[in-house]
Amino acid sequence: MQEYDVVIIGAGHNGLVCAAYLLKAGYSVLLLEKRSVPGGAATTEEALPEEAPGFKFNLCAIDHEFIHLGPVVEELELHKYGLEYLFCDPVVFCPHPDGKYFLGHRSVEKTCAEIERYSPRDAKRYAEFAEHWQRVIGAMIPMFNAPPKSLIDIVGNYDIKKIQDLFSVLGSPNKTLDLIRTMLNSAEDVVNEWFDSEFIKAPLARLASELGAPPSMKTLGVGMIMMAMRHNPGMARPKGGTGALVKALLNLVTSLGGKVLTDQQVKQVMVDNGRAVGVQTINGEEYRATKGVISNIDAKRLFLHLMNSSDVDAADPDLRDRLDRRIVNNNETILKIDLAMSEPLRFEHHNHRDEYLIGSVLIADSVKQVEKAHSDPSQGIIPDDDPSMYVVQPTMLDPSMAPDGQHTLWIEYFAPYKIAGLEGTGQYGTGWTDELKNKVADRCIDKLAEYAPNVKNATIARRVESPAELGARLGAFNGNYYHIDMSLDQMIFVPTLARNR
């Protein structure tokens, strides 16, 4: 039996970051990863080795923004371990059915100039909108970078600039109430309050809904930061793909003496006298932890699936019930499509420029279309009559991810984890089958071809991963790659496990 100070369940990027800090503090650390490759949702893999050798695909995460709100990259000096970030500019392109388009640059001024071609009023409002949400982000950063519920740490993270941001959004009773009102509002409410034109409202609503809920959902007003962050700190991708972040973290962890074992799925957390003392894998191996066990997987799987109920009840008799009932999963996840292509997309009806493809491409025709794309999955319905999608051509920013002159395409399409009426059938009892996932993927490509007609002829090979397959690969409970729905109530008001108690 092997013994370490800390055993970490899962070697995703969060677990690796945690391990790096522990190792730098002098602890011995073991990470156990169920897949044959570490990285969790942050891997880059040659997923079509026979049909498209040399094409590297990000199999889940792709655009990095939140990581730049914190000190992790700088504190861990990840550039010394091979990490190089490439910043996108432009950051988003969204073609509209009437020939207009939203082109967002990293620069707010350039973005306003693009909007002004169609709506001077919305351009002026966008400048005010971006400034407001930048101040909100500045006020929120100290809360992101402090332990939960630790007022001393939160206060200590405010410098003069962030204090100014805080007072600019909370400086008077009216401002405070207005911010609370905005946060309690929906993304749809917010965009309707600020803007007139559908060509700008639809992509902003689509980005806000990346948090995993329809734009009409109250408390999703905070989703407006998803566009604001693309201006500052900016949207970036590791050179070589998202997996390059994992590779740098692995280089750091192993250089500090940390150990990562793959193909080691944890079966149970071992508890002795009320303390987690180690884990047992499905292969029967046991690994002891003298200081503690840390989970890189979601709380539901940890406490409801990997621990004896008697051990959990002994620690807190209400915990299992609260986890089961309070942590909500609205059945929304993604169907993932990857294409190997002979040439990049061309948006022939929108005065195509290659720069459109550097950031993310949003197929969001209207707020109503985005609403359906996110509300249908919660009812177990596949919203494929008029698909809305998040599309990226990574090789326009980073040609190293495909053979010379060729390209990859990354498509995220929101879909239900369990299909209404088909529960108990298909893959993992979700109703998904190979035939169905490819039928839905065909519909997505048909929709994309309305804007970029060359997508079909340029496709060399295709990989489609159903929500059920993605959930199984990531080990994501009910396919939820965020662990829990990212609504305001669950991001802020879930004190049950705060401070890692």
Side-chain angles (χ1 to χ4, degrees):
M1 184 184 302
Q2 299 180 48
E3 186 174 274
Y4 298 82
D5 290 332
V6 177
V7 174
I8 299 179
I9 303 171
H13 68 290
N14 289 310
L16 289 165
V17 168
C18 181
Y21 279 101
L22 288 168
L23 289 160
K24 287 170 74 71
Y27 296 94
S28 61
V29 180
L30 169 69
L31 298 103
L32 298 172
E33 170 58 42
K34 79 180 188 75
R35 291 192 67 210
S36 59
V37 295
T43 64
T44 301
E45 303 175 42
E46 287 197 36
L48 294 167
E50 295 181 6
E51 305 94 323
F55 287 81
K56 300 174 185 176
F57 299 95
N58 294 314
L59 296 189
C60 195
I62 189 164
D63 290 329
H64 296 204
E65 295 138 353
F66 281 100
I67 194 170
H68 302 293
L69 295 179
V72 168
V73 174
E74 291 74 22
E75 283 186 353
L76 296 182
E77 300 180 292
L78 293 180
H79 64 281
K80 291 183 179 180
Y81 298 91
L83 179 64
E84 178 185 352
Y85 267 109
L86 305 174
F87 279 83
C88 299
D89 195 12
V91 292
V92 63
F93 168 70
C94 182
H96 199 254
D98 64 5
K100 297 175 184 174
Y101 57 86
F102 175 70
L103 185 63
H105 291 267
R106 192 172 182 185
S107 158
V108 174
E109 292 76 17
K110 285 185 177 180
T111 304
C112 290
E114 294 285 351
I115 297 170
E116 192 170 14
R117 296 189 300 125
Y118 305 120
S119 174
R121 189 263 180 194
D122 280 345
K124 181 178 183 298
R125 291 291 282 162
Y126 189 85
E128 298 165 359
F129 171 87
E131 181 186 11
H132 171 75
W133 284 100
Q134 281 297 315
R135 286 187 271 113
V136 171
I137 291 171
M140 291 169 63
I141 285 175
M143 303 176 201
F144 283 146
N145 295 323
K149 299 169 69 175
S150 175
L151 295 179
I152 293 175
D153 287 302
I154 290 172
V155 171
N157 283 343
Y158 279 96
D159 56 22
I160 294 298
K161 175 63 171 64
K162 292 183 177 65
I163 290 173
Q164 290 173 339
D165 287 335
L166 181 65
F167 275 97
S168 74
V169 295
L170 295 177
S172 69
N174 283 344
K175 285 184 177 180
T176 300
L177 289 172
D178 193 53
L179 181 63
I180 292 172
R181 169 184 165 273
T182 297
M183 292 301 186
L184 294 177
N185 265 350
S186 68
E188 183 178 20
D189 293 333
V190 174
V191 296
N192 284 335
E193 179 180 345
W194 282 89
F195 304 108
D196 291 332
S197 307
E198 196 71 24
F199 83 92
I200 185 172
K201 290 196 288 188
L204 294 181
R206 180 65 175 78
L207 288 173
S209 297
E210 284 294 307
L211 295 181
S216 66
M217 179 177 168
K218 297 295 184 179
T219 78
L220 199 67
V222 68
M224 291 296 105
I225 67 172
M226 298 299 283
M227 183 62 204
M229 286 192 299
R230 294 181 177 222
H231 296 304
N232 184 40
M235 184 177 80
R237 301 176 196 137
K239 186 175 182 179
T242 286
L245 169 63
V246 171
K247 186 176 180 181
L249 286 166
L250 284 169
N251 290 341
L252 171 57
V253 165
T254 54
S255 73
L256 294 173
K259 191 169 183 180
V260 180
L261 296 180
T262 56
D263 297 307
Q264 294 288 325
Q265 183 172 349
V266 172
K267 177 183 178 182
Q268 187 173 27
V269 176
M270 299 184 294
V271 177
D272 187 10
N273 292 324
R275 288 181 57 87
V277 296
V279 301
Q280 184 182 69
T281 70
I282 59 173
N283 300 325
E285 297 285 344
E286 291 187 359
Y287 299 94
R288 290 277 170 170
T290 61
K291 302 296 183 184
V293 175
I294 292 177
S295 172
N296 192 140
I297 64 174
D298 64 90
K300 277 197 171 185
R301 281 185 301 153
L302 176 67
F303 290 103
L304 303 183
H305 298 171
L306 299 189
M307 298 186 70
N308 288 329
S309 58
S310 58
D311 289 329
V312 180
D313 291 342
D316 182 343
D318 297 324
L319 178 58
R320 288 189 301 126
D321 191 58
R322 288 203 303 272
L323 287 171
D324 191 38
R325 295 176 182 273
R326 281 195 183 184
I327 293 183
V328 179
N329 184 313
N330 69 2
N331 197 42
E332 180 182 281
T333 180
I334 63 173
L335 180 140
K336 178 69 164 53
I337 305 169
D338 293 297
L339 302 183
M341 300 180 66
S342 59
E343 64 181 22
L345 297 175
R346 291 191 58 81
F347 289 85
E348 296 177 0
H349 311 304
H350 293 81
N351 302 315
H352 176 85
R353 300 201 301 269
D354 284 347
E355 69 174 47
Y356 294 168
L357 304 175
I358 290 175
S360 53
V361 176
L362 306 179
I363 303 302
D365 296 350
S366 65
V367 175
K368 182 178 180 180
Q369 182 205 30
V370 175
E371 175 71 23
K372 184 174 175 59
H374 290 271
S375 58
D376 278 3
S378 67
Q379 305 300 316
I381 300 168
I382 302 170
D384 61 349
D385 57 332
D386 187 23
S388 173
M389 291 166 281
Y390 188 120
V391 179
V392 181
Q393 192 111 62
T395 39
M396 295 302 287
L397 182 67
D398 184 3
S400 71
M401 296 181 67
D404 288 348
Q406 297 181 310
H407 294 269
T408 61
L409 195 70
W410 180 102
I411 301 175
E412 172 191 85
Y413 169 75
F414 286 101
Y417 180 72
K418 292 181 180 178
I419 302 170
L422 296 178
E423 299 92 343
T425 68
Q427 299 165 347
Y428 306 101
T430 62
W432 285 98
T433 63
D434 284 342
E435 180 182 6
L436 179 57
K437 75 177 184 182
N438 280 295
K439 179 182 176 183
V440 175
D442 288 342
R443 184 68 194 94
C444 290
I445 299 301
D446 286 343
K447 176 66 179 181
L448 182 56
E450 294 176 13
Y451 288 105
N454 70 323
V455 63
K456 294 183 180 181
N457 289 337
T459 297
I460 298 169
R462 183 175 88 174
R463 171 186 177 272
V464 181
E465 187 173 52
S466 73
E469 292 168 323
L470 180 135
R473 177 172 62 83
L474 298 183
F477 186 64
N478 285 343
N480 194 325
Y481 46 92
Y482 285 137
H483 289 201
I484 60 173
D485 291 350
M486 298 284 278
S487 53
L488 192 64
D489 59 313
Q490 297 199 118
M491 286 193 283
I492 295 179
F493 301 113
V494 184
T496 301
L497 301 175
R499 303 306 303 267
N500 308 304
R501 182 170 62 84

